[in-house]
Amino acid sequence: MCWQLERRIRVPNILAGIFQKLRERRLARAAKFLDALKIRYHTFRILLANNEYSLDIMRSLDQSLRSGSKDLPEVAEELLSVTYELVDGINRLSDGRHQKLFETHHRLAGAIRKELDAVMAVQFNAPACIFLDDLSADLRGEVGGKAAALALLRKAGFPVPDGFAVTSASCEAILSANGLDLFIRQRAQRLEAGYNRGADFEADAEEIRLRILDAVLPEGFEEDLRGAYERLAGPQGAAISVRSSALVEDRPEHSFAGQFKSVLNVISFDGLKDAIREVVASNYSPRSISYRLHAGLSLLRHDMAVLCQRMAPAQSAGIVFTIDPAAPESGRMLISAVPGLGLPAVSGSAPADIHRPLREPIDTGPLDDRAQIAQKTHRTVARAEGGVEELELSENERNLPALSEDRVRSLVRLSRRVESLIGKPQDIEWAISEEGGIFILQSRGIQLPLKSRQAVEAARGEVLLAGGVCASPGRCVGRVKVVHSTRDFEAWRKLPREPGILVLAQSMPDAAGVVPDFEGVVVDLGNPADHLACVAREYSRPMLTGAGKATQTLRDGQWVILDADTGMVLKAPEQVWSAAARLDNAPGVAPPSTGTPGAKPGAPSRPRTARLRRLIEPLNLTDAYGPTFSIQECRSLHDLIRYTHEMAVLAMFQTGDDIVESAEILIRRLDGAVPLHFLIIDLGGGISPGSKTFKVRIEDILSVPMLALWRGVLTPGLRWSLPPPTPGVSGLLSRSILDAGGARPVGQQNYALITRDYLNLNARVDYHFAMVDAVCGMNSRENHIRFRFKGGGATAVQRERRALFISEVLEANDFFVDQHADLVTATILETPQSETEDRLVMLGRLLGFSRLLDAAMRDDTAHRKVAQAFMDGDWALNSLDREFVRT
């Protein structure tokens, strides 16, 4: 009896021990899995932080390349180091599925270091000659206001002849290489002290001029100048004009108008060298020195830059003042015109026709009698052997107007567009060819008295939007195109080409592929270091980021001026711009360039610097959903950064249903008042430490994004317990119950990985699949929501209609949406925490509202009606009862 009793006691103890050991093994296995999952999550967060940091470094590197900073090697090495961490991170996150990225990074790093060594070996200085097409707004201090203004107009599509600027540093190098800087300093000190104001004054100035004319150009500079000349003149040896673009010219406080030398019709490289010496020397002429002394400017500032352009074939030429400076409130312009080249009109040395046309209306009606046609005696023309000469006019030609009425109207139209782009009244030097083509040779602000401020404000335009941060400098004009989805991009591409301003709710990398098609970019959210900002700088497109409510303030099709430098969007005069695309010289149709084939605007002139940039900056991976988004297409560090970021989010989406099996008893269950249940794994800080039971109450959840989503799920009035709004569900069920080939088969659990500020949710709601990946914390630059939705139980057409409804709702909530058939992918980036929470609440409502809704999508208008009901807060679809027949 004793042994039987002992046996009965021992067996349960053995079984209990076995079960205890099994439980301990399960706990150990689950703990090990949870540790691996936490490592995976923290790897993901480190990768996000490195992605953000790498874009910041790219911005710093761009600034170093532009400024010629000596810290370029250190910045480049830091970028290589961080991008290597990205490659390592994505391989850790994906169990080594992206090993080829190591090869890509190694190849890029080797090529970058090679080009960097070559750049630094030639003392990495700013280029001596910068073409107008390459001249960005931040280089104004190197090339002067005249060249900077013409570069702005040329990039906007205005008819500005091609050309390049010789930088002020290069002009100063001519003086220092010949010891003239010390000589000029000695003479300048005497002049500034008040000595030699008599006959010796002009003698000193003449001696400075003669010494500069005899100066030898530095060897490196002469080599760069020859390359620029051969590129500009082309095989046919086009004639070139050489003019000043001093850093002190055309400023509000002093214009230096007429103080410096211009040399026209230069037809050889030797002639170009002589012309540059003459322009530099004119900075020290008696007239220029006197002007500086009276203006209180130092004579020791060697601030001359030189502008070299192709000569415009001028049948007539002159000047337009967009507001008559003698009568600013009259609503008229002032135009002077002479036959031939415009030198007599600029210098005032010969009679000129005077026109005072109305600023508007500009297209209709005869011109009034406010034209004064002068009796002209000579025409200035280019000589075949170089230089210019004056030819006497015949008796029949002397009283003929230099401009026809049609050409006056064309000048008025073009001048108004220049004025509205620059934002202030302009003094424009122009030329018109025999065929009627207008060329802009100079544009500078008009000095108007204080009492004329009203006229100045009228020229500037109404401010539509103020604020934001300049991500890429410059000004541009175009028609607003608000984009919410890839469908909007496709629609834009089908429209006739016209200047456009891309307006986005968020700074989406997927917009990078269309940035070259637009004149500028405005973004509600984002920052100057994000992907799209890097692309805007690469293409020299003005971009304003963090603009707030641009998508709500600006209207599709509205003509606007984007001034990224001041953080403003202004109203452009529609009557001035609406017909621009129909005019021969319409902005938006870029003038022919003689530059490097395939070169992008904004690319630096030095070939080695250009090669270095091509290895770092371009973003070729512009379509995250296309077939070319692959390792093989990573051709720059920017591509590598984008690829690792997208793959990291995808890796978190693909965590897999093995979580349910592997985590076992560490999984918690969240039940609510709706038939939607989640298995939850807390990766740290997502659940209150005091909660120990398997079932978790919502009060125990600490995860900010999970709580926000759940608030939406629990919205009163959602149709969680109602059948689908359709006559019957048998067909729906019979098709869907077999949906085992979907993303997650019927019957599998919903699960969510959470932390205090992170949510990764995979859910099967009835017969469709939804995924949410969100970071919602204090750092808005890390915050994001990625949402995917696919499937359903009705026909393919009905599922696609439901996808259209979801897309419409998401677009209205500022998501960027890509929709193909019944698959919807949506993203919102870099939103503040409160706004991210609001979007998650909306997504929670959408999960409940959209269940079984594909069965109700019986015509092509249903998705719009249902979307409107959702946005109106009609969660139970009461407003559509008469359209949906219920069981």
Side-chain angles (χ1 to χ4, degrees), residues 96-116:
R97 283 196 289 258
H98 303 283
Q99 289 291 323
K100 286 187 177 179
L101 274 181
F102 284 109
E103 298 176 18
T104 302
H105 186 274
H106 180 74
R107 174 177 51 80
L108 285 170
I112 287 169
R113 289 185 177 111
K114 179 180 177 181
E115 294 298 340
L116 188 60

Side-chain angles (χ1 to χ4, degrees), residues 92-332:
R92 290 175 182 274
L93 199 60
S94 63
D95 298 323
R97 283 196 289 258
H98 303 283
Q99 289 291 323
K100 286 187 177 179
L101 274 181
F102 284 109
E103 298 176 18
T104 302
H105 186 274
H106 180 74
R107 174 177 51 80
L108 285 170
I112 287 169
R113 289 185 177 111
K114 179 180 177 181
E115 294 298 340
L116 188 60
D117 288 344
V119 167
M120 299 306 293
V122 293
Q123 297 179 341
F124 188 69
N125 292 316
C129 304
I130 307 175
F131 271 79
L132 296 181
D133 289 341
D134 305 334
L135 211 167
S136 57
D138 56 352
L139 292 176
R140 181 188 180 99
E142 295 290 329
V143 300
K146 184 182 295 181
L150 289 177
L152 167 66
L153 294 175
R154 182 171 167 86
K155 288 179 181 180
F158 284 89
V160 174
D162 196 9
F164 63 86
V166 179
T167 65
S168 61
S170 299
C171 293
E172 185 176 357
I174 297 174
L175 303 178
S176 59
N178 290 270
L180 294 175
D181 50 348
L182 179 59
F183 175 75
I184 292 171
R185 177 182 295 276
Q186 294 169 344
R187 293 295 186 270
Q189 287 173 344
R190 292 196 299 175
L191 292 169
E192 288 181 341
Y195 299 108
N196 293 345
R197 292 295 179 89
D200 291 341
F201 170 76
E202 292 197 5
D204 278 350
E206 180 64 11
E207 187 175 1
I208 292 173
R209 190 183 77 85
L210 292 175
R211 290 198 179 202
I212 293 175
L213 294 181
D214 288 337
V216 176
L217 302 187
E219 183 178 348
F221 168 69
E222 184 169 344
E223 181 182 347
D224 286 350
L225 183 65
R226 183 184 295 277
Y229 170 75
E230 291 174 353
R231 170 180 163 183
L232 181 62
Q236 304 303 319
I240 291 171
S241 67
V242 182
R243 296 183 293 161
S244 66
S245 182
L247 273 57
V248 294
E249 265 187 290
D250 302 338
R251 292 189 174 185
E253 61 273 23
H254 34 256
S255 68
F256 276 81
Q259 300 300 313
F260 302 127
K261 179 84 172 181
S262 293
V263 183
L264 303 183
N265 197 33
V266 175
I267 60 172
S268 68
F269 180 60
D270 286 339
L272 174 63
K273 293 192 293 183
D274 290 339
I276 286 175
R277 292 188 190 98
E278 285 197 51
V279 173
V280 173
S282 70
N283 200 22
Y284 306 97
S285 69
R287 186 169 57 177
S288 177
I289 290 174
S290 295
Y291 191 101
R292 282 179 180 271
L293 290 173
H294 284 105
L297 298 172
S298 173
L299 300 180
L300 300 177
R301 290 186 59 186
H302 308 301
D303 47 19
M304 176 62 72
V306 179
L307 175 62
C308 305
Q309 286 182 281
R310 282 195 169 200
M311 285 282 291
Q315 185 190 51
S316 57
I319 297 171
V320 174
F321 290 87
T322 59
I323 289 179
D324 186 346
E329 311 301 331
S330 66
R332 294 182 179 275

Side-chain angles (χ1 to χ4, degrees), residues 519-534:
E519 312 308 311
V521 185
V522 181
V523 187
D524 287 343
L525 305 170
N527 69 85
D530 60 34
H531 286 285
L532 200 61
C534 294

